[in-house]
Amino acid sequence: MCTVIVGFDPAAHTPLVITAIRDEMRSRPWDGPGRHWPDQPSVVGGRDRLAGGTWLAVDPTGPRVAALLNGWPWDGRMPWEGSYPASRGDLPLHALAVPERDPLAEEDLSRYAPFHLLLADAGRADLHSWDGRRLHSGPVPVGVSTVVNTGLDPADPRALRHTPEFAATRPDPSPLAERDGVARVWGRWPDLVTEAALARPRSAGSDESGDPSGLIAHADLGDGLVWATGSVTLLALDDSTIRYAFTDTPADPAAWRMIGL
């Protein structure tokens, strides 16, 4: 995951609404949202076929959501060298398996490359950030926030550009809103995703052709390698239910589908 927009307000009809954008190498295989983990049969999310983990998963029995972003330092340098023995994609699953609010207490974080892990329900949203040396955990503020690879970084171009427009259109659907109506639940947010997909994309590394404020990513790295946005997830969560929509074609407003939970 490279960008997660979080609308959190415990006083709202729907306290938590999320737009989660996953950027990855196009060649890396994955499965769409489903119940992919027999040892956690209630958990639903997309699955990375190579490592078996996920970038985002929900547990409707909580209900709770856990979302993962790769971590980068504030100055934009590469945050690590060498390899790590554990896949960060395991972390959302570990977090949903732990009933307490401290999901990483029993984890040896030195096994993982830097990350940001969002764990949220209707009453609380926390961001756990590991930079390779220390863990910082804290609440996501009430309102609309944009989480990027440097965490809650208000100076990031994506945060500067998109937080105000998502905040101005923050949906607060009634629990009775139609489950199969994406616009009924998320209002203008799917349109903002489509508009971003049709705009100039964000690029990667030394490629300066893109727009650093772009929500949707695309970079041709040569030799047939493409790094790009592969999918977008919309979530709406209250005390008892999660509504979940997904697309792997963010430029097509008709491509959204509701995920049964």
Side-chain angles (χ1 to χ4, degrees), residues 105-173:
E106 302 301 319
E107 294 295 323
D108 176 7
L109 297 183
S110 68
R111 302 172 64 240
Y112 297 95
F115 63 82
H116 304 283
L117 177 68
L118 173 72
L119 182 63
D121 58 26
R124 185 170 172 179
D126 293 317
L127 187 67
H128 304 275
S129 298
W130 167 250
D131 66 4
R133 296 175 298 276
R134 67 181 184 90
L135 177 69
H136 173 77
S137 299
V140 175
V142 171
V144 173
S145 304
T146 300
V147 186
V148 294
N149 299 106
T150 47
L152 283 169
D153 180 358
D156 181 89
R158 280 167 287 170
L160 286 171
R161 174 180 172 184
H162 297 286
T163 304
E165 61 185 9
F166 275 80
T169 56
R170 195 270 200 212
D172 186 19

Side-chain angles (χ1 to χ4, degrees), residues 2-253:
C2 277
T3 311
V4 180
I5 296 169
V6 183
F8 176 64
D9 182 356
H13 289 114
T14 299
L16 185 67
V17 285
I18 286 176
T19 297
I21 299 166
R22 185 189 186 224
D23 305 333
E24 185 53 88
M25 298 300 296
R26 281 266 175 89
S27 59
R28 189 174 182 110
W30 56 278
D31 296 308
R35 288 181 166 83
H36 300 294
W37 302 277
D39 58 336
Q40 292 179 261
S42 65
V43 170
V44 177
R47 184 176 72 100
D48 171 27
R49 291 183 190 171
L50 290 184
T54 186
W55 56 96
L56 179 148
V58 302
D59 186 347
T61 65
R64 292 194 298 169
V65 57
L68 178 78
L69 297 89
N70 291 349
W72 289 72
W74 285 83
D75 61 8
R77 293 178 296 107
M78 285 295 290
W80 64 86
E81 296 180 359
S83 61
Y84 287 78
S87 169
R88 289 171 290 192
D90 293 340
L91 292 167
L93 301 175
H94 292 334
L96 292 177
V98 176
E100 306 89 50
R101 293 303 312 191
D102 188 1
L104 303 177
E106 302 301 319
E107 294 295 323
D108 176 7
L109 297 183
S110 68
R111 302 172 64 240
Y112 297 95
F115 63 82
H116 304 283
L117 177 68
L118 173 72
L119 182 63
D121 58 26
R124 185 170 172 179
D126 293 317
L127 187 67
H128 304 275
S129 298
W130 167 250
D131 66 4
R133 296 175 298 276
R134 67 181 184 90
L135 177 69
H136 173 77
S137 299
V140 175
V142 171
V144 173
S145 304
T146 300
V147 186
V148 294
N149 299 106
T150 47
L152 283 169
D153 180 358
D156 181 89
R158 280 167 287 170
L160 286 171
R161 174 180 172 184
H162 297 286
T163 304
E165 61 185 9
F166 275 80
T169 56
R170 195 270 200 212
D172 186 19
S174 161
L176 299 179
E178 294 179 9
R179 288 175 178 268
D180 60 350
V182 172
R184 284 284 304 275
V185 178
W186 290 279
R188 276 274 298 152
W189 279 21
D191 297 332
L192 295 179
V193 171
T194 299
E195 291 166 11
L198 296 174
R200 188 158 60 106
R202 191 173 80 262
S203 57
S206 60
D207 181 356
E208 298 180 356
S209 64
D211 180 351
S213 72
L215 280 184
I216 304 301
H218 187 277
D220 187 339
L221 305 179
D223 297 324
L225 298 175
V226 175
W227 173 80
T229 297
S231 65
V232 183
T233 298
L234 295 171
L235 297 176
L237 186 153
D238 57 40
D239 287 325
S240 59
T241 60
I242 299 177
R243 285 161 282 185
Y244 189 147
F246 180 85
T247 184
D248 58 5
T249 314
D252 181 0

